[in-house]
Amino acid sequence: MRNIFTAFLLISLLFLQTLEAQRSPKRATPRGAQGATSTSKSAGKFTALSQQHIEKAINLLGIKLGQTLAEARETVEKNGGEIIWLGSRDPNFTESIRNLQRASKIDYFEYAAHSTKNLNKKYVSHTPYSREDVVIKLTVYPKSAGNLKDPNNLIIYKAEISLGFQPSRNEVIYDKVNYVDYTYEDFHAVMEKNNYKLYQNQGAYLSYNKNGAKSLDIGNLKVSGGTWKRDNIRTAPSNKLTSMSAFFPKYAHSLLQTKENGVDQVVTYKPLSEMIDKHEGVGAFQTYLKYGNSVVLTLVQIKSEKDPNIFLLNNIGLSYQDANLMADAYNGFYNALYKE
């Protein structure tokens, strides 16, 4: 068990280093905008993200963590969108419990919510259908054993979004498209407008909480992230939670399974809270509960062509999670896949 949590710490460290590199003051190579062409000469179809698009994305198209997939699907379809399963192109495909125990199909519990419908029904993707399409990747856990694709038996415990704000390099070069004058300061204002408060900023990540107690002042948001003020905190529970949630459902079996002489033995269940407290100290899990209901934000900036002192927002990723739901997911996978 100690080896498993050592792996958690190593992966969290690598995750932090990756995000720190993304927030470097050096100019990043512009990435292709979502929905834009990737050919050698673009078709010039780039359009800047609208305020409505951004707000729909950060508010998850009306989806709430803790909802059943059926409830989320009703909300999305009512507004002209759809939710597709990422586990297979064939919606009738099922995987054996044994294969799921071996973690052979992590995407078996992943879905993509789209704000628009795709006319090509054979196409399965968590990427946008078009520049106008808002897409959110959803990860679910089963409430109980039985039909692991029944939308009423699946609970959403994590959501992820990626937004591209700038045109691709091809569009800039060949179509003479200008970079969009959109900064992190602009995005931060939208978050605050929608009642998200910035309550942690520690080096490589930013954490928001809806209706939180504070909105952290981190200085001039138009300049390089390397110059932003830091929240003077020692722990980063919301960011650790993002790393930990990546292990569900893929590594749930490894966390619970014991072996003797290379042979699988009976699964010994221990609550996630007990495991965390044993490794990180008594009360550690309560810290996750306090800060876990959060949105962890990562971003990449580029220097403005007009003013090198201003950094434009190139792309941004948001991960929504809740510590209570992490524990529920842990229990759900155990009850559905491993409980005798």
Side-chain angles (χ1 to χ4, degrees):
M1 191 64 69
R2 183 179 299 275
N3 290 335
I4 294 298
F5 275 101
T6 299
F8 272 146
L9 292 176
L10 289 174
I11 288 177
S12 296
L13 179 60
L14 290 173
F15 186 74
L16 288 169
Q17 290 174 339
T18 300
L19 300 187
E20 187 64 54
Q22 288 182 324
R23 292 262 309 270
S24 168
K26 295 179 181 180
R27 174 164 180 159
T29 301
R31 298 180 180 178
Q34 294 185 33
T37 180
S38 59
T39 58
S40 59
K41 186 172 182 179
S42 67
K45 296 182 179 179
F46 174 82
T47 55
L49 293 179
S50 67
Q51 177 94 346
Q52 184 183 40
H53 183 118
I54 296 169
E55 293 195 26
K56 280 184 177 181
I58 66 175
N59 288 311
L60 303 179
L61 299 175
I63 298 170
K64 307 294 184 184
L65 295 183
Q67 280 186 321
T68 65
L69 184 64
E71 292 170 330
R73 180 166 282 157
E74 181 180 0
T75 297
V76 171
E77 290 182 350
K78 181 177 64 177
N79 293 310
E82 64 179 353
I83 293 181
I84 60 173
W85 180 43
L86 298 179
S88 171
R89 293 175 182 270
D90 177 9
N92 297 314
F93 172 77
T94 57
E95 191 68 83
S96 71
I97 294 295
R98 185 57 180 162
N99 281 342
L100 292 174
Q101 287 178 338
R102 292 169 178 162
S104 62
K105 290 286 184 179
I106 188 171
D107 59 355
Y108 200 86
F109 297 100
E110 291 180 342
Y111 291 77
H114 292 264
S115 64
T116 60
K117 290 185 177 180
N118 184 19
L119 298 179
N120 182 3
K121 296 300 182 183
K122 294 183 180 180
Y123 181 63
V124 177
S125 176
H126 63 268
T127 58
Y129 300 144
S130 69
R131 183 64 177 175
E132 290 72 32
D133 183 33
V134 177
V135 60
I136 302 163
K137 188 170 78 170
L138 306 171
T139 309
V140 301
Y141 72 86
K143 288 191 295 184
S144 61
N147 186 346
L148 301 182
K149 292 196 323 184
D150 178 0
N152 291 295
N153 187 38
L154 298 173
I155 304 294
I156 299 168
Y157 72 94
K158 186 172 67 170
E160 297 170 287
I161 312 163
S162 178
L163 295 173
F165 292 85
Q166 302 300 335
S168 68
R169 180 178 290 277
N170 285 337
E171 288 169 316
V172 172
I173 294 174
Y174 294 106
D175 296 318
K176 309 302 179 185
V177 178
N178 294 325
Y179 290 113
V180 180
D181 291 327
Y182 197 90
T183 68
Y184 170 58
E185 185 175 48
D186 299 319
F187 185 83
H188 178 73
V190 176
M191 293 291 282
E192 288 201 315
K193 175 188 173 185
N194 287 272
N195 299 318
Y196 285 94
K197 305 299 183 182
L198 179 62
Y199 70 97
Q200 284 185 354
N201 170 27
Q202 185 70 13
Y205 71 94
L206 297 157
S207 296
Y208 283 83
N209 184 290
K210 199 158 191 176
N211 302 315
K214 66 177 178 179
S215 186
L216 185 65
D217 175 16
I218 58 176
N220 184 358
L221 307 182
K222 291 184 178 180
V223 299
S224 162
T227 68
W228 295 349
K229 296 178 182 178
R230 298 287 182 259
D231 192 11
N232 190 22
I233 58 174
R234 288 185 147 187
T235 59
S238 57
N239 187 59
K240 284 185 178 181
L241 197 61
T242 301
S243 301
M244 184 180 296
S245 66
F247 285 83
F248 299 112
K250 188 173 182 180
Y251 295 109
H253 182 252
S254 297
L255 288 172
L256 297 168
Q257 186 73 50
T258 60
K259 287 188 176 182
E260 292 181 8
N261 300 321
V263 179
D264 289 349
Q265 303 298 312
V266 176
V267 171
T268 301
Y269 174 79
K270 292 184 179 180
L272 184 62
S273 57
E274 180 180 326
M275 294 171 67
I276 290 177
D277 281 3
K278 181 178 180 180
H279 179 72
E280 300 184 21
V282 177
F285 188 69
Q286 285 301 315
T287 303
Y288 281 98
L289 295 179
K290 181 179 179 182
Y291 293 102
N293 186 5
S294 61
V295 184
V296 176
L297 179 152
T298 61
L299 57 87
V300 175
Q301 301 178 100
I302 60 173
K303 285 184 179 179
S304 169
E305 297 287 342
K306 300 175 184 177
D307 185 347
N309 294 316
I310 294 179
F311 281 67
L312 303 178
L313 188 55
N314 189 30
N315 55 61
I316 197 166
L318 299 105
S319 178
Y320 294 66
Q321 71 279 302
D322 186 312
N324 283 295
L325 292 174
M326 292 298 110
D328 290 344
Y330 181 90
N331 295 336
F333 284 118
Y334 170 77
N335 291 329
L337 301 181
Y338 312 117
K339 188 175 182 179
E340 294 291 334

